[in-house]
Amino acid sequence: MNLITSRDNPQVKIWRRLAQDGTAYRKAEQFWLEGDHLCRAALERGVRPLQIVLCASFFEEQGPQWAGLSEQLFVLPDTLFASLSGLESPARMGFVVAWAAERKVLPDAMTVVLDRLQDAGNVGAILRCASAFGYRQVLAIKGTAALWSPKVLRAGMGAHFALHMVESASEADVAALQVPILTTSSHEGPFLHALLQSKTLPQKCAWIFGHEGQGVSDGLMALAHQKVRIAQPGGEESLNVATAAAICLHASATTSY
């Protein structure tokens, strides 16, 4: 166990950057997981941390549970640990986990394509839906919120560790997919429920979800084999993209039930 008490310790500065800078993981090739729930979710998927960082009070309560998971266990005073966090109510522990950019695209995998989604909460929620409904791959077009940022990791609630995820994907990567490509549209294509009723909604497919304001780009829209509308009897103009994604992903995943 290593005790650190200084805010100016170089290791503390590294952790703070990982915890508060949403893209720091790309240069550091490490990312920060905060909170025992998220850390346990990672462990359940076979992830092992490079470092474990605990606040002193948490170490007193649960230190032995975590001590064998990494050769590098650090303990910080509670106030110092809180200074690392980007949360209003900081957690009491964190992991540092190795990260490497994934370049390979799986052409025949059930896929979610994120086209320049900006909101970290939306991105994390869609990742969680993708994992829950059996999708294996996520392609994030350049301009999408950083997938391994602390905010997206928190919103994903552990889904990251079940998914094959490629950042800075291109239209060519999407075009190379060997599964039907679908996207939502507010005014074109059949309604989702009609495709379900006619049993013509594919189960193994790729769904494209676009920018919160601009929607799916013209280039990606042109790649779609099917544009799909979601019925909104209440008359709203549009749905939040994460809500739309949940509806579409669930529909495809359960179409054969």
Side-chain angles (χ1 to χ4, degrees):
M1 186 271 284
N2 301 285
L3 178 64
I4 296 178
T5 59
S6 172
R7 292 177 58 92
D8 297 324
N9 184 287
Q11 187 64 77
V12 171
K13 293 180 179 179
I14 292 172
W15 295 329
R16 185 176 292 114
R17 190 177 308 116
L18 290 175
Q20 298 184 16
D21 181 341
T23 61
Y25 67 90
R26 293 172 178 162
K27 183 176 180 180
E29 297 186 336
Q30 300 173 344
F31 63 88
W32 172 258
L33 284 180
E34 186 171 338
D36 61 330
H37 177 84
L38 196 51
C39 291
R40 290 182 192 279
L43 292 173
E44 289 172 1
R45 296 285 186 174
V47 175
R48 287 297 178 267
L50 298 174
Q51 299 173 326
I52 299 174
V53 188
L54 309 178
C55 72
S57 61
F58 191 82
F59 178 72
E60 291 176 5
E61 295 171 10
Q62 300 188 27
Q65 296 182 30
W66 304 91
L69 298 174
S70 173
E71 294 181 358
Q72 298 188 56
L73 173 66
F74 297 87
V75 176
L76 281 61
D78 287 27
T79 54
L80 181 56
F81 185 94
S83 75
L84 303 178
S85 179
L87 300 174
E88 289 185 12
S89 299
R92 302 169 69 200
M93 66 160 300
F95 281 177
V96 176
V97 181
W99 177 86
E102 181 59 67
R103 305 296 184 191
K104 182 181 179 182
V105 174
L106 307 176
D108 62 347
M110 292 175 66
T111 299
V112 173
V113 180
L114 305 178
D115 180 18
R116 300 164 296 130
L117 272 68
Q118 302 289 295
D119 184 84
N122 283 336
V123 171
I126 294 173
L127 297 183
R128 193 174 181 186
C129 289
S131 175
F133 299 137
Y135 285 75
R136 183 180 177 193
Q137 175 170 250
V138 173
L139 304 182
I141 302 298
K142 186 176 182 180
T144 299
L147 296 186
W148 296 91
S149 69
K151 289 183 179 180
V152 175
L153 281 160
R154 288 196 297 273
M157 297 291 287
H160 288 69
F161 311 114
L163 297 167
H164 178 89
M165 301 199 298
V166 180
E167 291 193 302
S168 298
S170 66
E171 288 185 9
D173 291 327
V174 179
L177 294 174
Q178 297 171 10
V179 294
I181 298 173
L182 292 80
T183 189
T184 55
S185 172
S186 61
H187 58 282
E188 292 184 68
F191 285 107
L192 181 64
H193 68 273
L195 293 175
L196 284 169
Q197 290 169 354
S198 64
K199 301 186 183 302
T200 54
L201 183 69
Q203 183 177 45
K204 190 174 184 179
C205 64
W207 279 97
I208 304 175
F209 302 107
H211 183 279
E212 289 87 348
Q214 302 168 14
V216 176
S217 70
D218 292 341
L220 288 174
M221 191 69 81
L223 297 176
H225 299 101
Q226 180 76 70
K227 300 181 181 72
V228 179
R229 290 184 286 169
I230 298 173
Q232 298 174 65
E236 293 296 329
E237 182 180 351
S238 63
L239 294 172
N240 168 272
V241 64
T243 301
I247 293 169
C248 294
L249 297 180
H250 178 267
S252 275
T254 59
T255 187
S256 62
Y257 284 23

